[in-house]
């Protein structure tokens, strides 16, 4: 069976360790071409990773008959257009998260791939990691009984680059990212909760900017209800003195807690026992998810994520950020629906 041949658009930081090597290390998978807005960066990346072809333009890479699937590893502002180009070419795509800047754009992507009758995937890769699959398995097996609620806390100090208002990273520029660190990082947690508990049916949230370092939100609080009746609360703050990262599932017979971003043991507490369970994250954290995509394309498995689940995450973040975007004028300034 021929390997799945990848082409990659974008050669930024995420591709160095997290994702790029996974494309050529997964079983039945190879990376044959790359491109980037900075062609010097693309040539350097290809040389260091042993990729034979560097295309001058994304359009050339998408059209390349040697490329079976395209990894869109660019900032969110360009996700939709590249995804639509892939759909028009009849090629599957693997899109970095979030799928697009808004849920409306996500639905445009879904419609395009539905009409093209080719699959596409979004890089909510924790669905493929052993640590997060273990969490889902423990919940499904009733390790803490019926789940009653879930709480999420992510607190972070400002980073040095946050103070350079005239040279902010793209993750803090609304016209590129669609939001701030909540949309860049917090959406991963929203997607995993969908995987672990099912879709969120109702959400209420408040977003603000308290520190004034940039225009996008720096604090978000939210409450929600899953379709199965489980309740949830979350606080994300990126401008405080404390560093904290915790997700807790509270059940009728216990609690399951873990750090979402840090590789620390899961803590399972019941009336009769307290256990810590350790899982080692893979060297390339996207590789298990990439492997599941390759397996699906080769007809030997299924990917645990799809465009519809990815769009649900964007629908939730859209709702949480809606009032803040309107208050700042982002919706009219950038034509967001």
């Amino acid at each position: 069976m021929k390997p799945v041949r990848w082409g990659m658009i974008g050669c930024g930081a995420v591709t160095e360790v997290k994702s790029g090597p996974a494309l050529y290390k997964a079983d039945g998978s190879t990376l044959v071409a790359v491109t980037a807005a900075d062609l010097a960066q693309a040539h350097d990346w290809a040389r260091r990773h042993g990729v034979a072809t560097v295309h001058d333009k994304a359009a050339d890479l998408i059209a390349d008959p040697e490329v079976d699937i395209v990894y869109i590893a660019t900032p969110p502002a360009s996700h939709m257009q590249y995804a639509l180009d892939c759909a028009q070419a009849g090629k599957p795509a693997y899109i970095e998260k979030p799928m697009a800047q808004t849920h409306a754009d996500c639905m445009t992507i879904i419609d395009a791939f539905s009409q093209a009758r080719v699959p596409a995937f979004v890089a909510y890769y924790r669905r493929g990691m052993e640590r997060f699959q273990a969490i889902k398995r423990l919940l499904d097996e009733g390790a803490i009984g019926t789940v009653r609620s879930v709480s999420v806390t992510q607190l972070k100090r400002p980073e040095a680059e946050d103070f350079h208002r005239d040279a902010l990273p793209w993750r803090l520029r609304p016209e590129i990212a669609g939001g701030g660190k909540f949309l860049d990082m917090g959406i991963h947690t929203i997607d995993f909760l969908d995987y672990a508990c099912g879709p969120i049916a109702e959400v209420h949230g408040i977003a603000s900017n308290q520190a004034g370092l940039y225009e996008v939100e720096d604090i978000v609080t939210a409450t929600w209800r899953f379709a199965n009746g489980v309740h949830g609360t979350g606080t994300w703050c990126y401008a405080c003195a404390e560093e904290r990262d915790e997700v807790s599932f509270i059940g009728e017979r216990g609690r399951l807690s873990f750090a979402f971003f840090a590789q620390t043991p899961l803590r399972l507490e019941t009336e009769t026992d307290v256990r810590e369970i350790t899982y080692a994250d893979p060297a390339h954290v996207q590789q298990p998810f990439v492997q599941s995509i390759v397996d699906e394309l080769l007809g030997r498995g299924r990917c645990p994520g799809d465009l519809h689940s990815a769009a649900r995450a964007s629908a939730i973040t859209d709702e949480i950020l809606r009032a803040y975007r309107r208050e700042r004028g982002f919706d009219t300034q950038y034509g967001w629906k």
Side-chain angles (χ1 to χ4, degrees):
M1 185 176 294
K2 290 184 178 180
V4 171
R5 301 169 299 179
W6 292 83
M8 185 173 78
I9 304 173
C11 296
V14 71
T15 68
E16 282 294 341
V17 177
K18 288 183 176 181
S19 61
L23 305 181
Y24 57 80
K25 290 186 176 183
D27 180 54
S29 179
T30 185
L31 176 59
V32 299
V34 300
T35 190
D38 183 342
L39 281 178
Q41 181 187 43
H43 280 282
D44 178 64
W45 200 101
R47 177 185 56 78
R48 289 183 291 102
H49 291 267
V51 179
T53 302
V54 177
H55 284 290
D56 290 344
K57 298 181 296 184
D60 295 339
L61 182 141
I62 293 169
D64 186 342
E66 297 298 313
V67 170
D68 299 316
I69 179 172
V70 178
Y71 172 35
I72 301 170
T74 59
S78 57
H79 286 182
M80 184 172 71
Q81 187 57 61
Y82 287 142
L84 296 181
D85 292 343
C86 289
Q88 186 174 18
K91 289 192 176 179
Y94 178 43
I95 309 165
E96 261 304 330
K97 56 80 212 164
M99 189 197 309
Q101 290 176 308
T102 67
H103 180 253
D105 288 349
C106 292
M107 297 310 297
T108 299
I109 293 171
I110 287 175
D111 289 345
F113 279 94
S114 176
Q115 292 176 24
R117 300 194 177 195
V118 292
F121 312 88
V122 179
Y124 290 116
Y125 58 85
R126 284 172 175 81
R127 289 176 177 241
M129 291 172 63
E130 183 182 18
R131 178 160 60 98
F132 290 91
Q133 290 187 339
I135 294 164
K136 177 172 171 56
R137 185 168 59 251
L138 286 167
L139 296 174
D140 290 347
E141 292 173 350
I144 58 172
T146 301
V147 178
R148 302 299 191 202
S149 68
V150 58
S151 64
V152 178
T153 304
Q154 187 189 17
L155 309 178
K156 290 184 70 64
R157 301 182 186 94
E159 299 172 272
E161 60 187 8
D162 298 359
F163 294 92
H164 298 283
R165 198 176 180 92
D166 57 344
L168 290 169
W170 66 258
R171 289 175 178 82
L172 296 177
R173 295 171 58 187
E175 73 277 14
I176 300 176
K181 296 181 184 181
F182 170 68
L183 195 57
D184 185 52
M185 301 173 70
I187 199 168
H188 265 299
T189 311
I190 297 295
D191 174 78
F192 176 69
L193 295 180
D194 181 289
Y195 181 54
C197 291
I200 293 173
E202 178 183 4
V203 62
H204 306 276
I206 301 171
S208 300
N209 185 298
Q210 295 179 334
L213 298 177
Y214 37 76
E215 292 299 314
V216 292
E217 75 287 346
D218 63 14
I219 184 168
V220 168
T221 56
T223 59
W224 58 87
R225 176 181 57 82
F226 294 90
N228 62 7
V230 175
H231 284 210
T233 62
T235 299
W236 295 263
C237 183
Y238 303 100
C240 58
E242 185 179 353
E243 295 274 338
R244 187 173 163 198
D245 171 15
E246 183 179 70
V247 178
S248 290
F249 289 95
I250 301 164
E252 61 178 342
R253 295 197 301 272
R255 174 193 294 261
L256 177 61
S257 303
F258 57 96
F260 191 85
F261 293 97
Q263 186 177 319
T264 58
L266 316 180
R267 183 175 177 85
L268 178 61
E269 304 171 67
T270 65
E271 294 177 348
T272 59
D273 189 27
V274 176
R275 283 193 292 152
E276 289 196 342
I277 311 167
T278 300
Y279 292 91
D281 290 347
H284 311 294
V285 290
Q286 293 202 30
Q287 188 165 338
F289 196 74
V290 167
Q291 185 68 66
S292 73
I293 293 171
V294 170
D295 289 344
E296 180 164 331
L297 295 177
L298 293 177
R300 62 189 191 189
R302 294 286 293 179
C303 178
D306 57 30
L307 290 185
H308 290 280
S309 63
R312 290 197 297 270
S314 289
I316 297 304
T317 54
D318 267 13
E319 185 59 33
I320 292 170
L321 295 175
R322 188 177 309 282
Y324 183 79
R325 285 170 164 175
R326 186 168 55 244
E327 172 192 329
R328 291 285 176 140
F330 295 160
D331 52 348
T332 54
Q333 186 175 356
Y334 303 122
W336 294 337
K337 299 177 182 178

